[in-house]
Amino acid sequence: MAEQTLTANSGFVQRVLSVAGVHSLVRCLWRYVDSSIRWCWIPGWLPSWCPSSASQLQAAGEQMLRCVSADFTKQFVSISNGNQLWTLTFSNESVKDKTPMVLLHGFGCGVGLWAQNLDALSQHRPVFALDLLGFGQSTRPLFPTDPEEAESQFVESIEQWRAKVGLESMVLLGHNLGGFLAVSYSIQHPDRVKRIILVEPWGFPESQGTVDTDRPIPVWIKALGAMFSPFNPLAGLRLVGPLDNTVPEYIYHLNVQSPSGETAFKNMTGPFGLAKKPMLRRINQLQPDIPITIIYGSRSSVDCDSGSTIRDMRPDSHVDIITIRGAGHYVYADQPEDFNHKVLQVCEKVD
């Protein structure tokens, strides 16, 4: 009954929005609002409420990784100010001389969500997956409220982590917020990055579409955007193959710890979930010899025009755009085999 009521209301609201004469904005905003509303109407997705702790998060993370067959180590890597970044390391003798790949997760996520990618990717080169500062099992410090300073703290933590682990250069693969930080890091430390792979990156565009200047966005539409901003990072992670029963518990424990990276992200985010300091303003600061691959899911509602814009802004650089059919925002979880294959193809050119 709840789903039927929601569907009816969805159709009614969508018709009203269309009549308002802001079709391009409505299409983009409605996809976001509709998925967020539907998220709220799925009471059985998350486990029943229970307290959380660092040990419970660790246990949930262990469960997420139980399907990984490759050998790996796990450790806290210490950086400045007593902070530590939780790190998984995959490296065997046959690939130790290859350029390592570093995986940077998105907002509200953690290393466990790469579970369906780690075996395949680590067969061809060393792979490192870390919980970003303020997320997962990593330290959750107090971030600056200024968006530029918060971004700088994220980037500096990645550089300190790289130096501590001892990587000379790397392939940076980032999803969502991780993609934003991958480019920000590469601008600051270009000699450390051989290739950037952006997976459904957040934080690039300045707007989600062109709105007629003589047709200002109604206040009530702005209110809808504010109500669902920043976007719900969990909406696309209900189904990930053999991990169906484990993901909800892991997601729950990831996101009910003391908010740190979440608060930093909120301070970096403006209206409609867009970055206050959009990356497209700075993409020309990235050295032209660093190749970029951008991966989108065909079913995602995340802005994909940024990929074409980046390619147009870097005519003398190598920019690939890949679309994976049947995948939503969480491409690596929705279509892991196709995702792994495409990433491995891209990385053949690295060494």
Side-chain angles (χ1 to χ4, degrees):
M1 178 64 71
E3 276 292 326
Q4 292 175 347
T5 303
L6 174 61
T7 302
N9 290 341
S10 298
F12 171 74
V13 176
Q14 200 166 14
R15 288 194 297 273
V16 172
L17 290 176
S18 299
V19 171
V22 285
H23 298 278
S24 61
L25 174 64
V26 166
R27 281 194 299 271
C28 188
L29 179 60
W30 180 254
R31 283 196 300 268
Y32 163 71
V33 171
D34 186 48
S35 63
S36 298
I37 292 175
R38 288 180 183 277
W39 170 257
C40 298
W41 280 81
I42 305 177
W45 190 84
L46 284 174
S48 58
W49 190 90
C50 62
S52 185
S53 65
S55 60
Q56 287 174 298
L57 172 57
Q58 181 180 6
E62 296 286 348
Q63 282 293 101
M64 287 291 295
L65 296 172
R66 75 189 189 279
C67 67
V68 177
S69 59
D71 292 333
F72 65 97
T73 62
K74 48 196 176 185
Q75 63 176 323
F76 284 104
V77 175
S78 297
I79 56 175
S80 64
N81 299 318
N83 294 323
Q84 296 182 313
L85 301 186
W86 180 244
T87 304
L88 308 182
T89 302
F90 294 75
S91 182
N92 59 65
E93 286 296 318
S94 64
V95 300
K96 66 178 183 179
D97 295 328
K98 295 288 187 70
T99 302
M101 177 182 294
V102 175
L103 306 180
L104 304 178
H105 63 75
F107 173 66
C109 298
V111 295
L113 293 173
W114 301 110
Q116 296 180 102
N117 317 110
L118 295 168
D119 279 330
L121 299 181
S122 64
Q123 288 178 13
H124 299 269
R125 65 186 60 252
V127 171
F128 295 80
L130 64 145
D131 281 340
L132 293 170
L133 185 66
F135 290 100
Q137 296 186 63
S138 293
T139 307
R140 294 172 174 257
L142 182 66
F143 278 81
T145 57
D146 178 79
E148 191 169 350
E149 292 179 9
E151 178 185 332
S152 295
Q153 186 168 345
F154 276 124
V155 170
E156 181 58 26
S157 70
I158 296 170
E159 170 58 10
Q160 291 178 10
W161 173 88
R162 179 209 62 79
K164 195 67 176 286
V165 173
L167 305 183
E168 287 300 315
S169 62
M170 53 192 168
V171 175
L172 271 183
L173 186 155
H175 171 253
N176 185 271
L177 171 62
F180 179 88
L181 296 177
V183 175
S184 183
Y185 175 91
S186 301
I187 290 173
Q188 298 297 320
H189 306 280
D191 55 324
R192 301 300 183 184
V193 180
K194 284 195 173 182
R195 177 177 282 272
I196 301 170
I197 302 176
L198 305 177
V199 184
E200 291 269 320
W202 167 85
F204 282 70
E206 298 199 44
S207 65
Q208 290 203 0
T210 302
V211 180
D212 219 331
T213 54
D214 60 356
R215 272 189 190 168
I217 302 173
V219 173
W220 56 274
I221 290 184
K222 291 182 180 179
L224 278 176
M227 189 190 333
F228 294 103
S229 174
F231 54 84
N232 190 317
L234 317 179
L237 274 171
R238 288 191 290 273
L239 297 174
V240 283
L243 299 174
D244 285 351
N245 297 326
T246 305
V247 173
E249 185 176 356
Y250 181 59
I251 290 291
Y252 168 81
H253 288 295
L254 277 175
N255 288 278
V256 294
Q257 308 297 317
S258 174
S260 170
E262 298 87 349
T263 302
F265 178 79
K266 181 176 182 293
N267 291 335
M268 294 164 61
T269 304
F272 299 103
L274 304 176
K276 290 180 179 177
K277 302 288 184 181
M279 194 54 68
L280 285 182
R281 293 181 188 173
R282 297 174 271 163
I283 198 70
N284 58 356
Q285 299 176 29
L286 183 66
Q287 286 193 3
D289 61 342
I290 299 179
I292 302 175
T293 297
I294 309 166
I295 301 177
Y296 292 108
S298 66
R299 298 176 59 190
S300 173
S301 59
V302 168
D303 163 78
C304 60
D305 294 333
S306 294
S308 300
T309 303
I310 292 171
R311 186 166 54 190
D312 293 342
M313 293 175 69
R314 295 171 61 83
D316 299 324
S317 302
H318 188 88
V319 179
D320 288 329
I321 300 175
I322 297 173
T323 300
I324 294 185
R325 297 189 62 180
H329 180 57
Y330 294 85
V331 186
Y332 58 90
D334 288 341
Q335 299 292 336
E337 290 186 9
D338 198 6
F339 174 83
N340 296 338
H341 177 68
K342 293 292 195 302
V343 170
L344 292 174
Q345 279 187 321
V346 167
C347 289
E348 287 176 356
K349 308 169 186 176
V350 173
D351 298 298

